[in-house]
Amino acid sequence: MPKELLLQVSPEIASNELLLQDYLSKQMKVSAREIKQVTILKRSIDARQKAIKINLKVLVYFQDDEFVENKIQLPDYKNVSSAQEVIIVGAGPAGLFAALQLIELGLKPIVIERGKDVRGRRRDLKAINVNHVVNEDSNYCFGEGGAGTYSDGKLYTRSKKRGDVTRILELLVAFGASPDILIEAHPHIGTNKLPEIIQDIREKIIEMGGKVLFETRLTDIIIKNNEVQGVVTQNGDTISASKIILATGHSARDIFELLDRKKVFIEAKPFALGVRAEHPQSLIDSIQYSCDYRGEHLPPAPYSIVKQVGGRGMYSFCMCPGGVIAPCATSPGEVVTNGWSPSKRDQATANSGIVIELKLEDFKPFAKFGALAGMEFQKSIEQKAWHLAGDTQKVPAQRMIDFTQHKISSEIPKTSYVPGTTSVEMGQVFPGFLTQILREGFSEFGKSMRGYLTNEAILHAPESRTSSPVRIPRNPETLEHVQIKGLYPCGEGAGYAGGIISAAIDGEKCALMIGKCLLKK
């Protein structure tokens, strides 16, 4: 009978199947020939001591045990071309996984997406990086796969619903992701590999009778007697349906404005805002692994850090080992940063958002905008950064120690941010209270991670799209909007998710509630 074991081994043993089998034979006091197969169930790194170890949960099969490889397969989707239609607004993870779930239930998804497919998006990403031109409908935030497609592909979540997480991961594997995402403590697909997986999901939706309409922007929601009846697109076309999943992402400001104009109840939501800090990856490795060189068996080191400064949380966000910083503006006249890593995380730099928790009271100067006060606060900082950096997609930048000491950096070295940087005193970008917290916080970070506070680190501003500045309230039982029947606010843009996995889970939850409502009739 197979035996499950918890191990702590060196990185070299963990990365070599033969060495691991030899290690197990000695630990279990059996001949290596008696071991038929070793399957790794879970893997994580323990870097708390100088001698770094890899934690493994393994299943050991012996010669008499039957070993059957666990092949992850897609559900048995049926064709839904003639089934009842449900509109999904947005082709990010919430929208795409909602569509798959609807097909599994026997309903037909009509996905409308303002941006382009993954291939079409590439040209627009090049335009913003090279020519500083922002396409408001196709950029790092908008388009097939949403913000996650070209901004990293991290798959870990704090969600407690592990069964749901496993289901999403298995679906991703079935669509082509590496099975390693099922065993890693912090799974990651990589920006270079995620687009093909997203494309395969879209092709499956279409193959099963669903529709995916690109370059189709929602301009109105048809509401009668507080019930949805369909949507209107920018071309004036009407698509009718009694159920709409609104999964537009955290940057769809026009949707928030549309709901506000139509007096559909929304509310301001606190979010976090700050800078994106870039260090040499070798420096982060030396801090985290306590060594001069991490070697070939350890991955580029991540970090996670949280401090309370001035009564607010200041923390690392979306940390990208071996990654780069990208321009993520969604309109001309603003600058926004984000980070991503390729699957191998093999770039020379590491970056992370370093952000501060905001409170509703911070938005008081924008109170006249009502529920959109937080969004206007966010916009004001992005627009100020644009002007300070020269009215281009360059970003305000400053060396980290210079920032803490109120010094303008005499020169900024080339960073991974392709459009370029402009040396600016960061205090000009943010309100005074945020600047002060950032300065104190970086000094505190340096005490916890010796070597982190350095002028080798370059701060880029702002990191402002951490989550939605608006919440679209919904009934916790039915998941419908509290006021409008048939409208299902969903995912990050509605304030109910914070990443690929949690957004995908929320998309499935909304689809299941719609199925429960429609299929009982």
Side-chain angles (χ1 to χ4, degrees), residues 269-384:
K269 182 181 78 64
F271 58 102
L273 184 145
V275 299
R276 189 151 280 267
E278 180 170 278
H279 291 76
Q281 180 62 54
S282 58
L283 174 60
I284 299 301
D285 290 341
S286 68
I287 295 171
Q288 296 297 83
Y289 292 147
S290 302
C291 61
D292 294 330
Y293 171 62
R294 74 169 186 265
E296 60 181 305
H297 302 298
L298 285 172
Y303 66 84
S304 176
I305 192 164
V306 181
K307 293 289 180 183
Q308 284 293 314
V309 185
R312 296 175 189 252
M314 176 170 160
Y315 58 93
S316 55
F317 169 82
C318 185
M319 194 275 148
C320 301
V324 301
I325 300 177
C328 292
T330 52
S331 294
E334 66 187 26
V335 164
V336 181
T337 66
N338 196 1
W340 59 264
S341 302
S343 57
K344 292 183 179 179
R345 292 179 160 170
D346 53 1
Q347 302 300 300
T349 50
N351 70 78
S352 180
I354 306 296
V355 296
I356 297 165
E357 293 175 334
L358 297 177
K359 302 175 182 179
L360 289 177
E361 64 197 53
D362 300 327
F363 309 148
K364 282 183 180 177
F366 300 89
K368 69 178 182 181
F369 294 101
L372 303 180
M375 185 183 85
E376 293 298 327
F377 174 93
Q378 186 185 58
K379 283 167 66 173
S380 71
I381 290 175
E382 295 168 359
Q383 291 167 358
K384 188 183 296 183

Side-chain angles (χ1 to χ4, degrees), residues 26-251:
K26 290 174 182 174
Q27 290 294 308
M28 301 172 74
K29 297 184 169 130
V30 298
S31 166
R33 289 192 298 272
E34 292 182 50
I35 298 175
K36 176 192 287 186
Q37 175 74 27
V38 179
T39 299
I40 297 175
L41 304 177
K42 290 295 175 185
R43 177 167 49 215
S44 64
I45 297 174
D46 185 346
R48 292 173 295 177
Q49 306 297 324
K50 188 157 188 177
I52 296 166
K53 298 293 184 182
I54 307 297
N55 298 319
L56 296 177
K57 180 195 279 189
V58 301
L59 196 59
V60 182
Y61 291 84
F62 299 96
Q63 291 300 336
D64 292 337
D65 295 327
E66 181 183 3
F67 172 72
V68 179
E69 187 176 355
N70 181 27
K71 290 187 177 179
I72 307 295
Q73 295 183 323
L74 289 173
D76 184 20
Y77 296 120
K78 306 296 185 186
N79 191 285
V80 294
S81 54
S82 301
Q84 186 166 353
E85 296 179 348
V86 175
I87 295 171
I88 299 172
V89 187
L96 291 176
F97 278 82
L100 291 173
Q101 183 67 79
L102 288 171
I103 291 171
E104 206 169 337
L105 293 169
L107 296 167
K108 179 179 179 177
I110 307 294
V111 183
I112 66 171
E113 167 56 52
R114 68 191 300 159
K116 300 176 184 178
D117 63 25
V118 288
R119 290 189 178 181
R121 285 179 79 179
R122 291 193 183 109
R123 290 187 290 273
D124 297 312
L125 300 187
K126 182 178 180 181
I128 191 172
N129 273 292
V130 177
N131 303 317
H132 303 254
V133 174
V134 180
N135 181 327
E136 292 185 87
D137 288 323
S138 179
N139 45 62
Y140 276 99
C141 290
F142 299 146
E144 186 175 19
T149 302
Y150 290 106
S151 63
D152 200 45
K154 289 184 182 66
L155 300 176
Y156 47 93
T157 176
R158 292 185 178 91
S159 171
K160 303 295 183 187
K161 299 182 179 178
R162 299 304 300 176
D164 291 333
V165 172
T166 299
R167 171 182 161 84
I168 300 300
L169 292 176
E170 288 182 344
L171 278 171
L172 286 168
V173 171
F175 277 108
S178 167
D180 283 350
I181 67 173
L182 299 172
I183 64 175
E184 297 291 352
H186 296 293
H188 167 261
I189 291 180
T191 304
N192 54 321
K193 293 193 173 181
L194 195 52
E196 186 174 342
I197 294 167
I198 295 297
Q199 181 176 297
D200 288 346
I201 291 174
R202 177 241 302 169
E203 289 174 352
K204 177 58 69 174
I205 291 168
I206 294 170
E207 178 191 343
M208 293 297 105
K211 286 186 178 179
V212 182
L213 308 176
F214 293 112
E215 300 183 68
T216 304
R217 180 161 32 92
L218 171 73
T219 56
D220 198 10
I221 301 173
I222 304 169
I223 301 171
K224 188 173 182 180
N225 298 325
N226 281 343
E227 293 187 16
V228 299
Q229 295 191 334
V231 300
V232 180
T233 71
Q234 84 274 25
N235 298 323
D237 297 330
T238 297
I239 305 172
S240 300
S242 64
K243 304 292 181 186
I244 300 171
I245 295 178
L246 196 61
T248 51
H250 59 44
S251 293

